[in-house]
Amino acid sequence: MAQLTKTSTSLLIGLHDPADERTWRAFDTRFRPILLVVARKLGLDHQDAADATQETLLKFLSEYRAGRYERSRGRLRSWILGILKYRVADLKRAKGRRREARGESAIVNLPEDRELDALWHSARRAAILRQARKELLEHSHLAEKTLLAFDAYVLRGQPAEQVAQELDMSVNSVYVAKNRVAEKLRDIVTDLEQVYDEDL
């Protein structure tokens, strides 16, 4: 979690230094998955979404280092989302021109800022949960059987009796595993939310 424990403010300070690859990787690790999900929700296929995300991050970095971001004018996520929104619009317009040439509609509709913000929050939450699960598996020191029981019972929705039988444990132990893992996950999620949300 080392790359994700830096606050957004410390990441932004580090981004001013072009030689600080570590900070750029931390920023990229935190925000690329979110932007990729938002781009997909805006109707891009996987490759176009990946391209739009890459171009958004590079444009953000270039403009940020040029001093174009002012906190007094709004949240950082709004600025990044604005960059992504225009990149998605450009891609859709290019495809629209091809559709228009075939006699199809070329109208490009993109969501309002409020809807974009909701997409950001949803993607952010999913990214935090993925990262929390990864942290749990790497650093929790929970028994493997406990984690397997949680995955089967909570994530895959298998009945507790089936999980108990498959893992050779009691049904009560499945419930205990669920509670232990859920508690650890809650703690990790709380920590990650504080890191992700600062100044954004």
Side-chain angles (χ1 to χ4, degrees), residues 1-5 128-141 185 188 192:
M1 190 166 143
Q3 288 189 329
L4 291 170
T5 55
I128 287 172
L129 290 173
R130 275 192 307 275
Q131 184 60 35
R133 188 168 185 283
K134 181 178 175 192
E135 293 297 320
L136 180 75
L137 293 174
E138 291 175 358
H139 306 292
S140 71
H141 307 295
L185 266 179
I188 296 168
L192 286 171

Side-chain angles (χ1 to χ4, degrees), residues 26-141:
F27 190 88
D28 185 82
T29 297
R30 187 177 303 172
F31 296 109
R32 181 179 297 271
I34 297 171
L35 291 169
L36 187 57
V37 168
V38 172
R40 293 297 307 272
K41 296 278 188 187
L42 292 176
L44 298 185
D45 64 30
H46 182 74
Q47 186 57 56
D48 284 345
D51 291 345
T53 296
Q54 176 71 10
E55 290 169 20
T56 296
L57 287 166
L58 292 175
K59 185 168 179 69
F60 156 77
L61 184 62
S62 171
E63 291 189 359
Y64 180 75
R65 286 183 177 159
R68 295 197 181 104
Y69 172 62
E70 297 174 27
R71 283 188 177 181
S72 61
R73 295 177 60 192
R75 292 184 167 278
L76 181 66
R77 76 167 172 258
S78 298
W79 186 37
I80 295 172
L81 279 170
I83 295 170
L84 179 65
K85 181 178 179 178
Y86 287 109
R87 185 62 199 123
V88 169
D90 288 345
L91 286 167
K92 286 187 168 195
R93 273 193 290 274
K95 287 186 178 194
R97 284 190 290 275
R98 291 192 293 274
R99 282 195 305 271
E100 197 172 58
R102 294 190 307 259
E104 300 169 17
S105 173
I107 295 173
V108 174
N109 292 317
L110 290 176
E112 298 295 323
D113 290 346
R114 186 180 310 173
E115 189 178 341
L116 270 179
D117 215 36
L119 289 174
W120 173 278
H121 284 294
S122 173
R124 174 193 133 291
R125 180 72 177 163
I128 287 172
L129 290 173
R130 275 192 307 275
Q131 184 60 35
R133 188 168 185 283
K134 181 178 175 192
E135 293 297 320
L136 180 75
L137 293 174
E138 291 175 358
H139 306 292
S140 71
H141 307 295

Side-chain angles (χ1 to χ4, degrees), residues 173-192:
S173 294
V174 172
Y175 295 135
V176 169
K178 174 200 151 228
N179 291 333
R180 272 197 194 138
V181 175
E183 184 179 338
K184 290 259 190 203
L185 266 179
R186 269 193 301 274
D187 292 343
I188 296 168
V189 165
T190 297
D191 291 344
L192 286 171

Side-chain angles (χ1 to χ4, degrees), residues 133 136-137 140-152 156 163 167 169 173 177-178 180-181:
R133 188 168 185 283
L136 180 75
L137 293 174
S140 71
H141 307 295
L142 290 169
E144 183 179 0
K145 196 180 268 193
T146 300
L147 293 169
L148 289 171
F150 178 84
D151 278 356
R156 292 198 305 272
V163 174
L167 294 175
M169 58 196 304
S173 294
K178 174 200 151 228
R180 272 197 194 138
V181 175

